[in-house]
Amino acid sequence: MNQKKIDNISVDCVVFGYDINAKSLNVLLINRYLESKTTQEVLVNDHVLTGYHVYKDETLDQTATRVLKELTGLTDQYKKQFKAFGNPDRLTNKKDLLWIENEGFNSRTITIAYYFLLKTEDVDLENNPYSATWFPVAALPELGFDHEKIILEAYKDLKVKCLSEPIIFKLLPDKFTINEVQDLYQSILGIEIDNRNFRRKLINKKYIIALDEKQLGVSKKPAQLYMFSKDVYDKVFEKNYLISI
C-alpha cells in the first residue's frame, strides 16, 4: 500500500562506518546516474546520501530508521538528528534540477539530517540493493545536491560528540585493544595523540573493562583486549566523559 508523503520535507542520512583495518572513518554513499532519454548522453553521474520524503503518519525518527534499514538492512544503530537544511537554493544546481525534473519531486524541499554510527563490515555491500559504496570522509567523491555540506556538518558534530559521550564504541568491535581506540580517535579528530598519555587515561576509566583475552591471528605480540561497559558508564557518568585530547 502506498503511503502519502509530505512533498517538501525529507530526511537525509549520513551513515558513518569505521574500517578498523584501514583505520578509516567512512561514509556510505549511492551513485546518482541519469542519461538523456533521447541521446543516451550522461547528464548526471555523481554520489549522494540516501534520503526519503517523510510519510504523513511517521515521525522524523521513524523516517530515518526506515532510510537506514532500506539502505543497510540494519536497525537499532546509534542515530542523531543534528541539523535542518532549508536554503531556497539548496537544490538549484543544474544537475540537481535535471534530476528533480526526472524524479518529479519538489525543488523547494527542507531536509532534516541525521547521522548513524556503525561498523563497515556490518553492511553487506555485495547484495546491497542500492550498490552503496564506502568512501573515506577525507576523500569524498563528487557529490550531488548540498550533500557535501551535510556530511561535513555531520562530521563536525561527530568530532564534538565523541569527546563528550561514549559513542565511538558504536564504531568498534565489542572487544578491542587500546591502540584500536586511539586509532579511531585519531581518524575522527585528524590529529596525532600521545600514546602513553592516552593509554594511561583510558585504562583508568572504570567502564573500560580489561578482559582475560588477547588478540588472535596477529603476527606481532598479541595485545590485551578490553570492552566498554554501558552499565558501569551509566553508574559513574562523568561530565567530561573520557579524555582531554
Side-chain angles (χ1 to χ4, degrees), residues 3-155:
Q3 299 193 56
K4 192 165 181 62
K5 64 183 181 180
I6 303 175
D7 289 336
N8 64 339
I9 300 178
S10 66
V11 166
D12 280 318
C13 294
V14 182
V15 179
F16 287 120
Y18 183 62
D19 185 333
I20 198 168
N21 295 314
K23 303 177 184 179
S24 172
L25 180 70
N26 301 328
V27 63
L28 193 61
L29 301 172
I30 60 174
N31 182 233
R32 184 177 70 157
Y33 185 85
L34 178 65
E35 287 185 355
S36 167
K37 295 177 182 178
T38 56
T39 66
Q40 281 71 57
E41 176 191 1
V42 177
L43 302 176
V44 180
N45 186 14
D46 54 20
H47 286 82
V48 292
L49 298 168
T50 303
Y52 292 113
H53 284 88
V54 177
Y55 291 147
K56 287 195 172 183
D57 64 348
E58 66 182 0
T59 65
L60 295 173
D61 274 9
Q62 287 172 336
T63 304
T65 299
R66 173 166 58 88
V67 171
L68 182 76
K69 185 175 182 180
E70 292 189 16
L71 177 63
T72 67
L74 301 174
T75 57
D76 299 322
Q77 305 295 310
Y78 174 90
K79 72 174 179 288
K80 184 192 174 186
Q81 180 191 126
F82 67 95
K83 195 168 183 178
F85 295 82
N87 286 347
D89 62 351
R90 64 177 294 262
L91 306 179
T92 56
N93 179 281
K94 181 179 178 181
K95 290 191 300 181
D96 298 338
L97 292 174
L98 287 170
W99 185 263
I100 288 168
E101 181 181 0
N102 184 73
E103 296 296 312
F105 65 84
N106 195 329
S107 62
R108 183 65 173 98
T109 298
I110 297 168
T111 196
I112 313 301
Y114 284 74
Y115 64 81
F116 288 85
L117 302 180
L118 48 88
K119 295 173 276 292
T120 55
E121 64 266 25
D122 287 346
V123 181
D124 181 3
L125 295 182
E126 289 187 9
N127 299 302
N128 188 274
Y130 296 93
S131 299
T133 305
W134 289 110
F135 289 91
V137 173
L140 295 172
E142 181 181 355
L143 292 160
F145 304 124
D146 58 350
H147 288 186
E148 181 176 10
K149 181 178 181 180
I150 293 175
I151 292 169
L152 294 179
E153 288 281 355
Y155 184 34

Side-chain angles (χ1 to χ4, degrees), residues 90-242:
R90 64 177 294 262
L91 306 179
T92 56
N93 179 281
K94 181 179 178 181
K95 290 191 300 181
D96 298 338
L97 292 174
L98 287 170
W99 185 263
I100 288 168
E101 181 181 0
N102 184 73
E103 296 296 312
F105 65 84
N106 195 329
S107 62
R108 183 65 173 98
T109 298
I110 297 168
T111 196
I112 313 301
Y114 284 74
Y115 64 81
F116 288 85
L117 302 180
L118 48 88
K119 295 173 276 292
T120 55
E121 64 266 25
D122 287 346
V123 181
D124 181 3
L125 295 182
E126 289 187 9
N127 299 302
N128 188 274
Y130 296 93
S131 299
T133 305
W134 289 110
F135 289 91
V137 173
L140 295 172
E142 181 181 355
L143 292 160
F145 304 124
D146 58 350
H147 288 186
E148 181 176 10
K149 181 178 181 180
I150 293 175
I151 292 169
L152 294 179
E153 288 281 355
Y155 184 34
K156 179 180 177 182
D157 190 275
L158 175 60
K159 286 181 177 181
V160 175
K161 201 76 170 173
C162 77
L163 293 174
S164 62
E165 294 183 16
I167 60 174
I168 64 148
F169 298 104
K170 304 293 185 181
L171 296 163
L172 287 168
D174 292 337
K175 301 174 184 180
F176 49 79
T177 68
I178 298 299
N179 282 344
E180 287 170 341
V181 180
Q182 181 176 334
D183 288 340
L184 175 53
Y185 269 111
Q186 291 181 155
S187 178
I188 293 174
L189 299 173
I191 60 173
E192 291 291 323
I193 300 172
D194 179 73
N195 181 67
R196 185 176 300 177
N197 190 42
F198 179 88
R199 173 176 291 274
R200 176 179 55 81
K201 288 183 177 182
L202 192 63
I203 62 177
N204 284 334
K205 298 301 182 182
K206 295 179 181 179
Y207 39 81
I208 303 299
I209 310 298
L211 302 175
D212 189 22
E213 296 180 52
K214 292 191 175 183
Q215 283 177 305
L216 297 174
V218 293
S219 55
K220 57 185 180 179
K221 183 180 178 181
Q224 170 79 51
L225 290 175
Y226 295 80
M227 64 171 284
F228 168 74
S229 172
K230 180 71 163 57
D231 290 339
V232 175
Y233 174 78
D234 288 341
K235 291 178 183 177
V236 298
F237 173 75
E238 300 175 17
K239 186 175 180 180
N240 294 321
Y241 163 55
L242 191 58

